[in-house]
Amino acid sequence: MTQQGVRWTADQVLALAPDAASRNAGSKLGAAGPWSEAGSSDEGTVWGLCKGSGSKPYQTVIDIADASGPAYKCSCPSRKFPCKHALGLLLLWAGGDGAVPPGPPPDWAEQWTRGRRQRAEEKRTADAPGSASGTGDPDAARRRAERRAMRVTAGATELEQRLADLLRGGLAGAEQAGYGLWEETAARMVDAQAPGLAARVRELGAIPASGPGWPVRLLEECALLHLLDQGWLGRERLPDGLTHTVRSRIGLPASADGPPVRDRWLVLAQYDTADVKLTTRRIWLYGADSGRTALLLSYGAAGRAPELALPVGLALEAEVSAYPGAGQLRAALVERFAPPAPAAIRPPGMTTTEATARYGEALRDDPWLDSVPVTLDQVVPAPDGDSWQLADADADTALPLTPAARARPGLWRLVALSGGAPVKVFGECGHRGFTPLTAWPEGAGEAVQLC
């Protein structure tokens, strides 16, 4: 299928926005008024000139066929990717009303697209096994890994002592000490090059202020942190799969080394989480032929959206390669063979009872797992006192929604989509409840993103 045959929905375009402000601003530019010389090519390039506040219009070009998702270039000064002009141009193109006609790209758009694709091909060649730039000094790499392992071991040993001191002195001391104790401990874990331990320590610091029942929650998290420490310190005795999982939870880097799996991958959901240093984007995929669920992760510096972006509800033919680790679903996008396109693919669903059982089974492979991806079939959103739940339409069972899900506007989109009727919902199921990310109405309706 050529790019001219692919038409995204407005929701799929706006899901690429880095934030709500960009989403609103892009929506206002999705009409033909501010645009001139807009066009698109069968090779996957969309371009146009957008009138701005100055005398010279902004040059905007998008490579929809880029292997890592849509790529953007705009002459505006915005540091957001995509900027509001790119979102507006995509909305104009997605409308399919002739405002972005097919044709040859102008020189400025053609040069940028050709340069991007040439650099991508050079990178693939350089990274190929056996290439000169893809091979380093193995002895130096081994020595670096050994030095880092020693630092992590020292950090884990120190953390064990601090946990023992906390329990010996009583959990009440955690409330009295305040957050400073945990931040100092987290900084020590950063020095030990164990970012995974540092993140978990910071989470401990917020628990004493989390409301009634905090001592129980603090004890549970301390136990999981102790288990992770002991997993690292005794990693030589663990099975290979669990060893890789412990390394991943500690925060050590790894490469996707699983055999490439080529499939038609449905983009189930995409959402960002951010802290002061990093924005993390999670993209869930479902393989129509393999039946596998895969998680793509990409990162952006604070204040900037990650480059990898895929429109929810579309499917792309691509190869992905899994990362090592027992029960791990993370994968890397190796190569894409066709641009995202509409497809009548939906993941198979399960009951709420089966979803909780799935999470319990996954904990055997990864005790630190917060949630697992599941698709619920025939569920109805229903209020439950001051909370909400997803109730099975054909059984007297339900899953509570997580506090985060109850606070998002997506809950009301789900309620409106359902209208009291059963829907299919994809999301993450864990010990805090269920977080809905995408939903489909009964029949042949399109996916509705909830996050």
Side-chain angles (χ1 to χ4, degrees), residues 313-341:
L314 299 187
L316 65 155
E317 185 175 356
E319 280 185 347
V320 303
S321 177
Y323 279 79
Q328 300 301 299
L329 297 177
R330 186 186 174 189
L333 184 62
V334 178
E335 185 174 359
R336 193 172 74 175
F337 303 99

Side-chain angles (χ1 to χ4, degrees), residues 26-266:
S27 298
K28 297 176 181 178
L29 294 175
W35 293 96
S36 62
E37 301 181 28
S40 59
S41 72
D42 288 344
E43 288 73 32
T45 306
V46 181
W47 61 88
L49 302 178
C50 186
K51 180 178 175 58
S53 57
S55 59
K56 188 176 182 180
Y58 296 124
Q59 295 179 335
T60 307
V61 56
I62 305 164
D63 184 4
I64 301 174
D66 187 86
S68 61
Y72 319 92
K73 173 66 175 178
C74 185
S75 60
C76 76
S78 175
R79 297 182 61 190
K80 297 180 180 180
F81 294 95
C83 67
K84 63 181 181 180
H85 306 101
L87 290 170
L89 181 58
L90 275 177
L91 287 171
L92 194 66
W93 166 79
D97 57 1
V100 185
D107 289 343
W108 57 270
E110 173 66 21
Q111 290 174 5
W112 177 78
T113 306
R114 184 171 60 247
R116 272 194 63 85
R117 294 176 181 175
Q118 181 178 345
R119 289 191 296 273
E121 182 60 34
E122 291 172 351
K123 185 177 186 302
R124 282 194 293 270
T125 301
D127 291 344
S131 65
S133 59
T135 57
D137 183 345
D139 289 335
R142 176 181 53 79
R143 289 192 296 270
R144 288 193 298 271
E146 290 175 349
R147 288 195 296 269
R148 181 167 187 178
M150 292 176 62
R151 293 192 191 98
V152 173
T153 297
T157 302
E158 179 181 347
L159 183 55
E160 282 292 277
Q161 183 60 54
R162 296 199 175 198
L163 289 174
D165 291 343
L166 171 66
L167 296 178
R168 188 179 299 112
L171 295 181
E175 186 176 31
Q176 298 167 1
Y179 191 76
L181 168 67
W182 304 105
E183 185 57 38
E184 190 269 336
T185 304
R188 296 286 294 168
M189 296 305 104
V190 172
D191 292 341
Q193 294 186 287
L197 293 180
R200 287 185 171 270
V201 168
R202 289 193 178 99
E203 291 174 0
L204 291 182
I207 293 177
S210 63
W214 69 263
V216 174
R217 294 191 293 275
L218 181 60
L219 184 60
E220 290 173 348
E221 294 302 321
C222 284
L224 286 172
L225 190 53
H226 166 70
L227 184 64
L228 183 56
D229 275 341
Q230 290 299 312
W232 171 261
L233 297 174
R235 61 193 180 279
E236 295 84 1
R237 301 187 298 274
L238 299 179
D240 287 344
L242 187 54
T243 299
H244 285 299
T245 298
V246 169
R247 290 177 58 87
S248 173
R249 294 298 180 185
I250 289 286
L252 298 184
S255 300
D257 59 2
V261 177
R262 182 167 178 169
D263 206 336
R264 291 177 300 143
W265 296 96
L266 173 66

